[in-house]
Amino acid sequence: MHPPFVGIQTRRFNLRLLNDADASFILGLLNEPDWLKYIGDRGVHTLDDAKAYIHSGPLAMIKKYGFGLYLVERQEDHMPVGLCGLLQRDGLSWPDIGFAYCAQFRRQGIAFEVAKATLEYAQSVLGLTKVAALTAINNEASIGLLRKLGFAYERQIALTGQAETSNLYFKTL
C-alpha cells in the first residue's frame, strides 16, 4: 500500500492531485510549442482528451505506484502554472522526475523550487534513494535545471515507444 498523497508545499506553490476541473489547463499545456517539441504530442486536442489524459496518465500512475505528476499552482490565487512529479517509465529501474510549465511561468525560479521540494518528498515520504531524469537531447533549459539540482549525466537512452533518444541523468538522495 502506498502512502496517500497529501500534497507538497513550497514557499510559493502547492502541488496537488489533478482532477477533471483541470482539463482546460491540461489541454493548453500539452499543446504548447515546447511541450510538443520536447515531450511530444500526446493526442490531447479536446477537453474530453484532457480528462482522459488526467485519468489514464497521472492519476493512474499515482494509483499504481504511489506517485505521478501533480498540478503545480500558486498559493496566492490557485493559478495553475505547470506539472511536476515522479514517473515510473518502462525501461527505467528508478522513478524519474518530470516537469513542464506554461511559457509565461518560466524563468522565475518556479521549476527549481518545485523540483527541489519534489525530490525532498521522494526521499522523506517515499523513501527513494535515487531518482532519474530524462531530457530531450537539445532541451538546454531542462538540462540546466537538472545540473542545478545536482543530477549527473549518465548516457543517452532510447526508451521503448519513444521515437527519439533522450539524455539520462541520476541523482542520489
Side-chain angles (χ1 to χ4, degrees):
M1 190 71 188
H2 309 294
F5 181 73
V6 294
I8 299 171
Q9 282 192 322
T10 72
R11 186 173 58 81
R12 300 179 293 163
F13 299 93
N14 296 320
L15 281 75
R16 65 164 175 81
L17 295 175
L18 287 152
N19 61 59
D20 286 348
D22 300 314
S24 180
F25 173 76
I26 292 298
L27 177 61
L29 179 64
L30 272 61
N31 286 287
E32 284 208 359
D34 280 357
W35 179 288
L36 296 170
K37 178 179 179 181
Y38 295 122
I39 299 171
D41 187 347
R42 296 293 187 248
V44 176
H45 303 292
T46 67
L47 286 176
D48 286 340
D49 292 343
K51 289 176 187 174
Y53 170 85
I54 289 167
H55 289 276
S56 66
L59 294 181
M61 187 166 289
I62 291 164
K63 185 175 182 180
K64 184 173 182 178
Y65 296 106
F67 54 79
L69 288 175
Y70 305 106
L71 182 86
V72 179
E73 64 182 12
R74 286 192 303 220
Q75 287 181 6
E76 65 188 45
D77 60 4
H78 303 286
M79 167 72 75
V81 300
L83 298 173
C84 187
L86 299 168
L87 302 149
Q88 185 62 60
R89 298 182 204 258
D90 293 337
L92 281 184
S93 301
W94 295 95
D96 72 283
I97 191 165
F99 44 82
Y101 293 89
C102 294
Q104 71 264 34
F105 299 111
R106 294 187 201 136
R107 307 221 180 276
Q108 299 174 32
I110 298 169
F112 179 78
E113 179 179 334
V114 172
K116 188 173 180 223
T118 300
L119 293 170
E120 290 167 2
Y121 176 84
Q123 181 181 28
S124 65
V125 176
L126 300 175
L128 297 177
T129 57
K130 191 174 184 180
V131 173
L134 295 168
T135 69
I137 300 297
N138 61 347
N139 188 340
E140 294 301 326
S142 289
I143 292 167
L145 174 60
L146 293 175
R147 287 184 181 139
K148 187 175 178 182
L149 289 164
F151 280 82
Y153 174 80
E154 178 152 314
R155 68 187 192 292
Q156 291 186 357
I157 185 173
L159 293 177
T160 305
Q162 298 219 333
E164 298 190 20
T165 303
S166 298
N167 291 324
L168 175 64
Y169 296 80
F170 282 104
K171 177 178 175 66
T172 301
L173 303 177

